[in-house]
Amino acid sequence: HLLSNSKIFIAEQKNDVLEKIKKNIAKNSSEKFIFGENYSYNKNNDGFIYKDKLHEMNLPLPNLLGEFQISNCSTAIATAKNLNQFNITESHIKKSITKIKSEGRLQNITKGKLRKYVSKNNQILIDGAHNPLAASAVKQYLETLNSKKKIFMILGMMANKEHKKFIQIFKDKIHSIIALDIPNQVNFLEKEKLSKIAQSCGIPSKTENSIESALKNIGKE
C-alpha cells in the first residue's frame, strides 16, 4: 500500500505493466516520477545521458555488468535527486556509479573458496534472477560473452516460480543445467523436478548435491 503525500518513483517498464501501475496509483495524491515522462536516459559511446525536467547529465557507465543496470541507475539518480534530505550533486553521482557493487547481480566471483574448483580461464558469475524478465536480462548479457566458451548453469529455484518460462529463455545459450536443492530453505523445488523441467525445455540437465560438487563436475569439462 503506497502512502499518499509521499513520492512514487516508477522505473522503466513494459507498456502494459506501466499502464496497470498508473491505473493503480491514479487516485494517490503523491508526487509521481515516471520513467519516460519525468526522467529518461540515452546511451552513448562513453556512457549514458541522464535527463529529467531540470537537468541533463553526461555520465560514465556504471560499474555493473548488464545493460539493464543503466536503467536501474537512472531510477536511483531520479530518486536521490528528489529526496529532500540529501544534497546530491552531479560529481557525487559520477563518482558513485563507477564504484557501485551489486552483490548477486551478474557478480563476477574473482576470489574465494569456489574459485579452487575451476581453472583460471573460467568465470563464475552469480545472479539472483528468479523471473522471466530477469532471465531475459541475464541472457542478454550472456550474448556478449565469448561464443567459443561453454556456459553451464547451476540452478536452484523456489517452488512458487515460473520454472519452465524462466528456464526456456536460456535454451539456445547454455550448454547444460545442473539442478540443486536450496539449502536452509523449506519451499524449494526439488532438484529432480527442476532437472526434468530443464530437459523438457531441450536443455541437457542433471542433479548434484552441492554447489561445490556441481563446480567440480563442470571443472572436468
Side-chain angles (χ1 to χ4, degrees):
H1 179 68
L2 293 167
L3 297 173
S4 288
N5 303 315
S6 59
K7 291 180 178 180
I8 297 171
F9 295 87
I10 296 165
E12 189 172 4
Q13 307 287 339
K14 289 185 173 174
N15 286 341
D16 55 336
V17 175
L18 180 60
E19 288 314 309
K20 284 177 182 169
I21 293 171
K22 282 163 95 170
K23 200 172 173 183
N24 263 293
I25 62 171
K27 290 178 180 160
N28 191 305
S29 60
S30 297
E31 195 177 356
K32 301 168 185 89
F33 299 85
I34 300 169
F35 177 84
E37 293 179 25
N38 306 96
Y39 72 98
S40 63
Y41 71 88
N42 288 109
K43 274 190 73 185
N44 59 24
N45 292 336
D46 306 314
F48 70 108
I49 297 167
Y50 167 87
K51 294 177 187 175
D52 60 29
K53 291 185 174 172
L54 296 173
H55 299 107
E56 190 170 298
M57 286 185 266
N58 271 298
L59 297 168
L61 285 173
N63 178 40
L64 297 164
L65 301 176
E67 201 168 304
F68 64 95
Q69 297 289 14
I70 297 173
S71 182
N72 287 346
C73 269
S74 298
T75 303
I77 292 165
T79 307
K81 283 183 71 198
N82 287 287
L83 292 177
N84 302 333
Q85 63 265 49
F86 301 118
N87 183 20
I88 303 282
T89 66
E90 188 168 331
S91 64
H92 288 141
I93 292 166
K94 281 184 175 169
K95 200 171 171 183
S96 62
I97 65 173
T98 58
K99 293 184 174 180
I100 303 169
K101 284 184 180 172
S102 184
E103 310 291 337
R105 296 311 314 262
L106 287 171
Q107 183 184 355
N108 196 2
I109 303 301
T110 54
K111 56 181 188 281
K113 293 176 185 176
L114 297 180
R115 289 287 335 166
K116 69 184 179 192
Y117 299 108
V118 298
S119 78
K120 284 179 184 172
N121 302 328
N122 296 131
Q123 256 185 307
I124 301 175
L125 290 167
I126 293 184
D127 199 280
H130 54 86
N131 60 46
L133 190 64
S136 298
V138 172
K139 189 197 172 195
Q140 203 175 359
Y141 173 71
L142 296 181
E143 303 276 6
T144 69
L145 298 177
N146 179 348
S147 58
K148 293 188 181 79
K149 284 198 171 185
K150 289 179 186 172
I151 300 171
F152 296 83
M153 181 184 277
I154 300 173
L155 183 66
M157 291 187 83
M158 299 298 280
N160 62 345
K161 303 299 173 189
E162 295 180 288
H163 310 103
K164 188 156 188 171
K165 276 187 184 176
F166 179 92
I167 291 169
Q168 64 193 13
I169 285 166
F170 297 98
K171 183 180 182 311
D172 300 315
K173 197 65 233 157
I174 60 173
H175 176 271
S176 60
I177 288 177
I178 296 180
L180 301 179
D181 290 343
I182 301 177
N184 310 316
Q185 271 290 353
V186 183
N187 300 317
F188 62 82
L189 186 74
E190 292 89 349
K191 59 190 177 187
E192 292 78 13
K193 286 184 183 172
L194 197 54
S195 189
K196 277 186 179 151
I197 293 169
Q199 288 164 14
S200 76
C201 294
I203 301 173
S205 179
K206 52 190 167 189
T207 64
E208 276 294 344
N209 293 324
S210 67
I211 289 175
E212 291 83 355
S213 59
L215 283 171
K216 276 183 197 170
N217 197 301
I218 293 167
K220 289 172 190 164
E221 290 204 48

